[in-house]
Amino acid sequence: QVQLVESGGGSVQAGGSLRLSCAAPGYAYSSYWSYCMGWFRQVPGKEREGVAVITTRGGRVYYADFVKGRFTISQDNAKNTLYLQMNSLKPEDTAMYYCAADRCGGDVWDSSRYKYWGQGTQVTVSS
């Protein structure tokens, strides 16, 4: 069982920055298999959408077009922690942000393929 715990959300003005963290028990980072560790977000009434994904082995990264150049996903394998540095935040970035994990395979943007999820952390960007 992989348990994920997000932190770092909050309220910020447009143009500001936040860094989200996701603590995962060591299993995902010590496994023989490469795990896909992702950040997704959701606003009420809309589907959950992928923001960024990174593989535990090789560190391959994927970004949604709407965050390229503004957000950076990274991980500290020794600390079993995933990060999302968010710069130049916009009001449309307001959402609940979730950390997700599962073995890599298939479409990294398909949220239904991720077995493990955190409880979410709220990000609110005011204009």
Side-chain angles (χ1 to χ4, degrees):
Q1 185 76 20
V2 176
Q3 293 180 320
L4 307 174
V5 180
E6 303 100 333
S7 61
S11 297
V12 66
Q13 289 192 327
S17 299
L18 285 172
R19 189 175 83 154
L20 305 183
S21 299
C22 173
Y27 183 83
Y29 286 95
S30 63
S31 173
Y32 170 82
W33 304 103
S34 184
Y35 271 68
C36 281
M37 306 293 293
W39 290 100
F40 290 77
R41 68 186 188 185
Q42 189 170 24
V43 297
K46 292 189 177 181
E47 290 189 359
R48 193 168 294 187
E49 62 181 358
V51 176
V53 177
I54 188 168
T55 61
T56 56
R57 295 196 178 275
R60 185 170 183 176
V61 298
Y62 304 82
Y63 291 102
D65 287 344
F66 54 80
V67 301
K68 284 181 180 178
R70 299 190 299 125
F71 292 9
T72 302
I73 190 170
S74 63
Q75 61 192 357
D76 186 330
N77 291 40
K79 295 182 178 180
N80 304 320
T81 303
L82 177 71
Y83 302 100
L84 185 67
Q85 178 66 44
M86 304 186 295
N87 298 328
S88 301
L89 282 161
K90 304 175 181 180
E92 51 264 44
D93 293 319
T94 295
M96 184 72 79
Y97 283 72
Y98 296 90
C99 175
D102 208 336
R103 288 186 187 179
C104 291
D107 183 1
V108 299
W109 300 119
D110 181 2
S111 62
S112 68
R113 66 168 300 282
Y114 287 84
K115 184 183 301 183
Y116 308 108
W117 290 87
Q119 80 289 352
T121 186
Q122 178 67 38
V123 171
T124 301
V125 184
S126 58
S127 58

